[in-house]
Every structure is written in C-alpha cells, then in structure tokens.
Amino acid sequence: MHRLFLVSDDEDFAQWVEKELSDYGRFVRKIDDFEFFIQQWSTSEAEIIIATEYAIESEDSFFKILNQVEIQDPFITIMLIYFREEDTFIQNLKDRNVVCISWNDLDFGLMEKRLEQSRSIKELQTRAESYPQMHSSNKSEYVNEHTDETDVEIKIEQPELTIQFGLEIVDKESPLENSITDNIEKHYVNSYSTIESKDLFNEDFEKKDEFIEKTYVESHQESSDEKDQEDSPQLKVSEDKQSEEEVVLSRRNQTKKRYPKLPSLPKHENQIIYKDRVIINEKIIGTVLIAVASTNRRAGSSHNAIQIARYLSGNSFEVACVELLDINVNPSVFKFLDDGTKKSKKMDDGFQSEGIDFYPAANYEKYIKILNAEYQYVVVDLGQIVTNQGRKSKEGRFFKEFFRANISIISTFPAIWDFQFLVNLVDKLLNNSWNKPFNVLVNFTDDKRYKKFTDTFTSREKRNLQLQFFQNNFLPDPLNLEDETVSIIPEILSSVIPSSKKKKRFYFF
C-alpha cells in the first residue's frame, strides 16, 4: 500500500478519492491548503501527493513548493486535479512530470492508472540514463545468464541544495540569520558528498530539517532579549503568543472562496463493469486512419507506413499513404517511389504504385481533403513527432494527429539510444492524456536483440503503460512483404479489419 498525502478543501472530493484509491494506498495526512506544507509532508513520509487546484494560493507559490519537494525526494509522484481549461500553467506542470487530470475527466480507475504510469515512466527514465553504461564494452552487463534477470545500478547525482526555513527569516543583515547560516554550513553543506540511495537522501534531509529547527529556536531564544519588536517580526509573534497552529486556524476560519459549480463526481455505488463486450464490424464504415510515428529520425516510420499500405492494397482495400511531415525535422522520401507512370486515382498531386495512392509532402489542407476522399484506409507517416533533449521532449508540428488515428503505431529501432527516445515519446503522449495501448513496432532486429530490447521493460511497466511490442524482421524493400511481416500487420490492425475478412485467410499478391 502506498502512502498518500491529500491537499484539498473540498470535502466531497476528499471522501470520493479516499474510496477511489482505497485498494491502492492509505492517506496518511489530509490538509486544506499548502500553508506550512513542507513541514507536514516531510514528517508524513508520503510518497504520493494529490492536490486540487483550488488549494493552490498562486501559481508561483506552487512552483516553489514543487522545487522544495523535488529537492527532498526526486522520486516523489505529484498529481493535480485541475478545473480550468488546459493552459500554459498546466502544460508547464506536465513538463515537470506532474500528473494533471481535469475534473471533467475523472472516472473510476483513472487516478490509479495515471499514478502507476507516472511511477513506471520515472523508473524507465532513470534506467534509460544508466542504459548506455549497462551495455558499454568497458563495463560488465548486469545480466545473470542463469536467471535472465537484469539488475540496474542506479546512482542519484547530488542536486544543488537550497536551504529554506519553515519560518520567515529576519533581516538579511541580522546576526541571528548569520549565526544560523554559519552553523548550518559548518555542519551540513560541507559534509554532503555523493548520495547513493533514496533512503539515505531522505534520512539526511530529515536530520537537516531537525537541525535547522533546533538551531533556529536556540538562536531565537539567545537573541530575544537583544532585539526590538520592530526589528524582528518573529519576536513580535512570539510575544503575542501566537503559534503557527493559531495562524493556520485563523486562515481556515476566513470565508472560503466561491468556486464555480463543478460536474458531479461519478458515484461508486453506481459503478458498472462491462465484461466480454465484443463489437463485430461486418464492413468498413467511413475511412480508417492509421498513424505511424517514429521515436527519432530514420527510426522507420516511412518504411512501416509503406509496409502497412502495401499489405492493405494487396488484400483489395482502397488505400492512400500520406506524408504529413515537418520538413525541418523529417525530409520527404515518398517522392523517390514515383516512376512517373501512374497518377493517384482520387486526388491530384499524388502517384500510384503497387495499388497505393501515395501523396508525398502533403500540407495540412491537402491531408484533410485526402481524409474526405472516401478511401477505406489512409496511412499517414508523421515522422518524428517529438524532439529529444535528455529527459525533456518537445511536441512536433503534427503531434496531435497521432491522437486522431484509429490505430497509432510507434516505429523504433532496438539500439541503446532508441530506448531513451521511446521512453520520452511515451512520457509526452501520457502527459497529453493518451489513454490507448501503445503499439510499438521494433524494426530491423533479430530474435535475440528484440528480446533484449523489450525485456528492458518489466512486466509491470508493460502492463501499466499498455505497451504492446511487435517484431519487424529485416526487410529492406517495404513494397515486397514476406511471411513474417504479413503475420505481424494483421495482428496490429485486428481492431480495424472487418470481421468478414478476419474469417478468411489473407492472401498477399
């Protein structure tokens, strides 16, 4: 059971979320707002923080709290339930790996699912940073040949420590603050070296917090007879005999904000679980959109898009294959397939090859027209849809089109660096509320390398992230398919192939 910390002044939500996550964790503390949050959270030992937007005093104050929390525990999981329309503030939080869920999207099981996905992503990102060292020729691989288990050695780089006090410090030039700072620097700053585990990290921070508090109290007592009330706000508070608890109580007795009316939370007593729901499609209605995106440049999205289109055309479907690319990131390649002998059937500016209408380097307006041209299937090559910078990734121009598709496929290679790129892409999609399985097509790989790449993800991570891997063997010409590839594609496309076709054996010609 996980230890949960709730920050919310909405009693209905507090009761709802406690019931919703009753099998996942235990709420060790619940508070109404972020007043004195760090002190209360530090002593709770909670590993997951859940907050509602109305508990936040200001955006700047919330980011300061995030900084403090991440310094104390880099592995903490933070979830925010927000009420506003998604804006820059929410997007910035997502970029900081805060799990953000709109109140309107709340449903049974969603919070637990997103929490588990976030924790899996953090584990994968840490492992991705160690992945090159694990496979370096100068270092042994942490692989037990007998058990086929992989142990990853994780080391946490020491962050730059920022010392913050729970109470407001007196004038910066005062002897009181200088003495506190000197003592802290003497006992702690110089004693920190490389931190090698999360437990040690948290333990040392707890000791430091205790020392700071003790030092502050002692220094405050020693200087109480020497300072005037005007010079020291802290002494004035002390003489008025007003404790921190009284300050909090006085805030809570103030009139609460008036919030806009929110949609009702789903009722647990009305929860219905559907089992064995099967929908059989006898024929294609409308156009099926299949999107293929790559983890990095030249990771195989164009190759896979052509393979899929060729498979569909070989089984008598009307197919268009479109390039929708940011040319600054992904150069067009479909144009090299045009021999000038056949034009596309339904639209201008295209050509036909192997029964497929190809549209190279289409702009967005052209792409929309193709979607409305009454093809049975449109396969769109999006290329690289995020740019990679370490753990950070930036959305590409046509990133949102990956969400529009009926079937979305990620193309990757099994190289060491592709593991990091794949994790970045999955993280970015989840941060944008992706809720479908990930179909990951691993290109140009043999059985051994494929197994090594996919086994880097644990069974729990595959389950939490809904990762479905498919092996695409070495096949240089995407227009000439072989038996292995023909067996993979219908498995990926099973949900969008008419049931009447599934009952028959597919022939490729």
Side-chain angles (χ1 to χ4, degrees):
M1 296 285 283
H2 299 286
R3 296 173 64 87
L4 311 176
F5 192 111
L6 179 64
V7 188
S8 174
D9 61 354
D10 188 315
E11 294 181 4
D12 290 338
F13 175 75
Q15 294 174 6
W16 185 88
V17 73
E18 185 171 12
K19 189 170 184 179
E20 175 68 9
L21 297 177
S22 59
D23 294 333
Y24 183 73
R26 179 173 64 89
F27 283 95
V28 295
R29 187 161 298 177
K30 302 174 188 176
I31 59 176
D32 292 341
D33 53 39
F34 282 95
E35 187 78 18
F36 307 114
F37 167 78
I38 293 297
Q39 295 94 320
Q40 298 180 77
W41 166 70
S42 298
T43 58
S44 73
E45 299 183 353
E47 54 194 319
I48 296 173
I49 300 169
I50 299 172
T52 54
E53 179 185 343
Y54 290 145
I56 300 174
E57 183 177 348
S58 70
E59 295 177 6
D60 288 341
S61 67
F62 189 61
F63 279 117
K64 290 178 181 178
I65 289 171
L66 281 182
N67 293 336
Q68 291 176 292
V69 169
E70 289 172 354
I71 287 174
Q72 291 200 35
D73 185 357
F75 294 94
I76 191 74
T77 300
I78 303 173
M79 171 178 284
L80 177 70
I81 308 301
Y82 66 94
F83 312 104
R84 66 178 74 190
E85 294 295 322
E86 184 169 329
D87 56 10
T88 304
F89 172 64
I90 299 300
Q91 191 58 55
N92 287 339
L93 290 178
K94 289 180 177 181
D95 291 340
R96 293 280 297 268
N97 292 321
V98 174
V99 181
C100 298
I101 298 179
S102 169
W103 179 280
N104 296 324
D105 294 336
L106 284 175
D107 203 353
F108 307 118
L110 178 61
M111 294 180 71
E112 180 175 343
K113 178 181 178 181
R114 293 294 305 279
L115 286 169
E116 281 298 284
Q117 288 175 338
S118 176
R119 292 169 67 84
S120 293
I121 284 290
K122 288 183 178 180
E123 292 170 5
L124 285 168
Q125 287 174 332
T126 302
R127 196 176 312 142
E129 292 172 355
S130 304
Y131 199 56
Q133 286 75 27
M134 290 165 55
H135 294 80
S136 171
S137 58
N138 296 326
K139 295 184 179 181
S140 61
E141 297 181 357
Y142 302 100
V143 178
N144 187 319
E145 296 179 356
H146 300 288
T147 61
D148 197 31
E149 294 179 351
T150 303
D151 297 318
V152 182
E153 181 180 337
I154 300 174
K155 289 191 177 181
I156 306 172
E157 294 297 328
Q158 167 64 17
E160 182 180 350
L161 298 178
T162 303
I163 300 170
Q164 305 216 12
F165 299 94
L167 301 175
E168 182 181 353
I169 293 299
V170 296
D171 192 310
K172 290 184 179 180
E173 300 300 324
S174 70
L176 174 60
E177 192 216 9
N178 290 337
S179 65
I180 295 174
T181 305
D182 291 342
N183 286 332
I184 292 171
E185 288 180 352
K186 181 183 299 182
H187 287 84
Y188 283 91
V189 174
N190 294 332
S191 66
Y192 268 87
S193 57
T194 302
I195 296 177
E196 297 188 352
S197 74
K198 176 184 173 183
D199 292 338
L200 178 60
F201 189 89
N202 290 333
E203 181 182 349
D204 284 352
F205 258 106
E206 289 174 3
K207 291 179 180 178
K208 189 184 76 170
D209 288 340
E210 293 173 2
F211 177 78
I212 291 172
E213 183 178 357
K214 181 179 178 182
T215 305
Y216 184 89
V217 171
E218 291 175 352
S219 300
H220 183 277
Q221 291 173 344
E222 291 174 1
S223 60
S224 60
D225 297 332
E226 302 175 3
K227 301 294 294 180
D228 295 328
Q229 291 181 359
E230 295 180 358
D231 294 336
S232 177
Q234 259 46 346
L235 294 180
K236 183 177 181 179
V237 170
S238 177
E239 290 183 1
D240 290 339
K241 298 181 181 179
Q242 186 176 15
S243 66
E244 291 182 10
E245 290 77 10
E246 291 172 330
V247 174
V248 174
L249 288 173
S250 66
R251 283 177 59 94
R252 292 178 180 174
N253 289 331
Q254 295 176 1
T255 303
K256 290 191 175 183
K257 307 173 188 175
R258 292 184 177 273
Y259 303 141
K261 186 174 178 59
L262 295 167
S264 299
L265 291 162
K267 304 295 184 184
H268 285 95
E269 56 268 25
N270 297 331
Q271 183 177 1
I272 300 175
I273 300 175
Y274 294 96
K275 295 182 179 180
D276 300 324
R277 296 180 62 186
V278 179
I279 300 174
I280 300 175
N281 298 316
E282 296 297 336
K283 62 179 181 179
I284 299 172
I285 300 175
T287 299
V288 176
L289 177 59
I290 302 168
V292 188
S294 60
T295 54
N296 199 26
R297 279 195 60 186
R298 301 185 64 81
S301 65
S302 298
H303 190 93
N304 295 149
I306 296 169
Q307 283 182 315
I308 292 168
R310 181 69 185 100
Y311 173 81
L312 293 169
S313 71
N315 286 281
S316 304
F317 292 111
E318 289 187 330
V319 187
C321 196
V322 189
E323 278 182 328
L324 186 65
L325 307 170
D326 181 348
I327 59 174
N328 295 319
V329 179
N330 306 278
S332 171
V333 297
F334 282 8
K335 60 187 178 183
F336 296 109
L337 299 175
D338 185 7
D339 60 8
T341 58
K342 289 185 179 181
K343 296 295 183 182
S344 53
K345 290 181 181 179
K346 298 189 177 185
M347 301 285 295
D348 296 331
D349 303 325
F351 64 92
Q352 188 177 112
S353 179
E354 301 291 346
I356 307 164
D357 281 359
F358 284 95
Y359 297 96
N363 57 29
Y364 195 73
E365 182 180 358
K366 182 74 172 181
Y367 168 67
I368 296 300
K369 290 180 179 179
I370 295 168
L371 291 180
N372 289 280
E374 298 184 350
Y375 286 100
Q376 290 176 296
Y377 292 90
V378 172
V379 184
V380 57
D381 171 22
L382 297 172
Q384 182 182 353
I385 57 175
V386 302
T387 55
N388 300 288
Q389 296 177 347
R391 282 195 181 188
K392 301 296 182 182
S393 54
K394 183 180 178 182
E395 297 174 14
R397 182 179 176 186
F398 299 113
F399 176 80
K400 295 296 183 183
E401 288 306 309
F402 200 66
F403 289 78
R404 181 198 294 267
N406 301 98
I407 295 289
S408 301
I409 300 167
I410 298 174
S411 296
T412 187
F413 285 157
I416 293 173
W417 48 87
D418 288 299
F419 176 71
Q420 173 76 75
F421 298 149
L422 175 58
V423 173
N424 285 354
L425 177 54
V426 169
D427 182 31
K428 180 60 70 174
L429 290 167
L430 290 174
N431 281 341
N432 283 271
S433 303
W434 179 268
N435 59 4
K436 298 186 291 185
F438 290 99
N439 300 298
V440 183
L441 190 52
V442 185
N443 294 301
F444 297 155
T445 180
D446 58 18
D447 293 343
K448 182 178 179 181
R449 183 64 201 173
Y450 174 76
K451 185 177 187 305
K452 191 170 187 178
F453 184 78
T454 56
D455 283 354
T456 310
F457 299 83
T458 66
S459 297
R460 181 177 62 84
E461 290 163 351
K462 291 175 184 177
R463 181 178 63 255
N464 290 340
L465 302 175
Q466 295 181 276
L467 289 168
Q468 301 177 161
F469 289 97
F470 302 89
Q471 181 181 357
N472 194 14
N473 293 330
F474 181 74
L475 191 66
D477 186 355
L479 291 172
N480 293 317
L481 303 186
E482 296 178 356
D483 291 342
E484 293 85 353
T485 304
V486 172
S487 66
I488 294 168
I489 294 176
E491 185 178 355
I492 299 175
L493 305 182
S494 61
S495 63
V496 294
I497 299 291
S499 58
S500 58
K501 286 281 189 180
K502 292 178 186 177
K503 294 176 185 176
K504 300 178 182 178
R505 181 180 177 182
F506 272 74
Y507 292 94
F508 186 83
F509 55 88

